[in-house]
Amino acid sequence: MIVAVHKEPSFRESVDLMFNHAVALMRLPPGLEEKIRVCNATYTVRFGVRLRGQIFTFTGYRSVHSEHMEPVKGGIRYATAVNQDEVEALAALMTYKCALVEAPFGGSKGGLCIDPRAWEEHELEQITRRFAYELAKRDLINPSQNVPAPDMGTGEREMAWIADQYKRMNTTDINANACVTGKPANAGGIQGRVEATGRGVQYALREFFRHPEDKAIAGLTGTLDGKTVIVQGLGNVGYHAAKFLSQEDGARIIAVIEHDGGLINPDGLDVDMVSQWIRQHGGISGCPAGEFIADGASLFHMECDILIPAAIEGVINLDNVDGIRAQLIIEAANGPITYGADQVLRKRGTVIIPDLYANAGGVTVSYFEWVKNLSHIRFGRMQRRQEEARHQLLVDELERLDRYLNDAWSLTPHFKEKYLRGADELELVRSGLDDTMRTAYQSMREVWHGRDDVPDLRTAAYIVGISRVASSYRAKGL
Ligand code: NAD
């Protein structure tokens, strides 16, 4: 067990230091740097809910970092450690992240100090509805001003309650469904949103592995197939990333770190089995998929090709950074590496695929969901059958050729069924996400390799994001 000995900046200070490091390499007009860095407003609410025969008082936050574009966007987190500094840091990250992946939003974030595991479902619903009421009446939930989404401790269920609460308060708002994203598919959601952030991590790694020079910097070769991976946090993001990387790309998940310990299996853990165990037992202790280690955080020091922190902020810090052996870290969580640890890793040449980019899959698919809600039609509904009819024409012609040439030529097995099928919503969402992750990586990469004074992807990501926010302010005449 590592005991904290170094005093480090807070999460928000850490984000600001990373921002400062990037703007020092940019030429922004005087004063604009400060305007972009500061958080516009943070609303704190304390409200009471009568539960179990008494009144419980809860504290929640909604922070708006930048309104250069509206609505502002960012998840709502349920955790006991939620505080103003954390939501402000997360809101700032949302601003730069949305700009980096060209999602037309400003940055925001919310949180409620609560242990969701301590409450029954119907109690959580009451608490969530009351929190949503407090935010909605101040337009901190609103389809055109502020659109929350899931984050740690929340998911589809909470988003459905929030949407319903907003609708009860705004009965004539035809766009009410767009007040929050991450809703269940049968309540205005979109296919592929639950998996989106983990899927984005997979697409980010696939894009990284397409560039031999980038792999070489991390001392890696080949493809994801056979690469050893350690994941911290097997929740929504970590589970989906681990599942897709192992089941679709051949990577080996050799260890998982959870809140109650770690699990090791050098042959590769069965991610579905571990995830199911966590859901049933509340932790990984006792899971037969691998060897249990009580000091989970010590597994950060295990040798692996790729390290994926996917739980909370500040887990790789000055107290444990020296033992980190992975040459490639992808920040699936927000802020998992402190500013101090980032400097150490940067000097050492470890490649870090930064949170701004790595976990942007969630907000990207949230953007698609918001557009779907505003257009009141599912993606692909107009084109799918027409596309299939046109494909049928081509297949008919190829089959005619096939008959004409007798056995000299024939269609490849399964070509017909694969080609004929028009894309459904899930395929379109994945295609849009893949395109977004590739394009954003290339924009970071251009800065990373194109400038001698930008030695790492994080600085490049900040430069791309901040310059887009700056252009947007400039266009507004600021
Ligand atoms: P989640 O609540 O679904 O899962 C978090 C997991 O981490 C849980 O399994 C929890 O037990 C584990 N965990 C918590 N503290 C831990 C600790 N100290 N050590 C080890 N494990 C720990 O949350 P999530 O939605 O997967 O979010 C995880 C991270 O990803 C957060 O930083 C969040 O901000 C970020 N993120 C989430 C989304 C999204 O769409 N959900 C989008 C972008 C970024």
Side-chain angles (χ1 to χ4, degrees), residues 205 208-209 211-229 304-307 325-329 351 353:
L205 280 171
F208 178 84
F209 272 82
H211 299 279
E213 315 91 272
D214 301 5
K215 277 185 288 187
I217 299 172
L220 295 167
T221 53
T223 64
L224 282 162
D225 193 21
K227 295 288 179 291
T228 52
V229 177
C304 66
D305 294 316
I306 307 169
L307 179 59
R325 289 153 83 183
Q327 276 300 299
L328 177 62
I329 305 178
V351 176
I353 304 182

Side-chain angles (χ1 to χ4, degrees), residues 396-409:
D396 289 348
E397 281 305 297
L398 289 173
E399 284 183 334
R400 203 166 62 80
L401 188 66
D402 198 356
R403 281 193 299 277
Y404 175 72
L405 293 172
N406 269 329
D407 279 339
W409 180 85

Side-chain angles (χ1 to χ4, degrees), residues 206-254:
R206 282 186 181 174
E207 180 58 17
F208 178 84
F209 272 82
R210 283 190 193 101
H211 299 279
E213 315 91 272
D214 301 5
K215 277 185 288 187
I217 299 172
L220 295 167
T221 53
T223 64
L224 282 162
D225 193 21
K227 295 288 179 291
T228 52
V229 177
I230 297 179
V231 181
Q232 185 201 31
L234 213 64
N236 178 316
V237 179
Y239 163 68
H240 285 103
K243 177 184 168 80
F244 299 143
L245 289 168
S246 58
Q247 295 176 7
E248 297 174 12
D249 294 321
R252 218 164 0 116
I253 313 298
I254 57 166

Side-chain angles (χ1 to χ4, degrees), residues 77 151-153 193 197 232 235-237 258-259 310-311 333-334 359:
R77 175 175 288 196
D151 192 71
M152 226 172 80
R193 175 59 185 89
T197 311
Q232 185 201 31
N236 178 316
V237 179
E258 254 297 329
H259 65 93
N334 282 307
N359 66 36

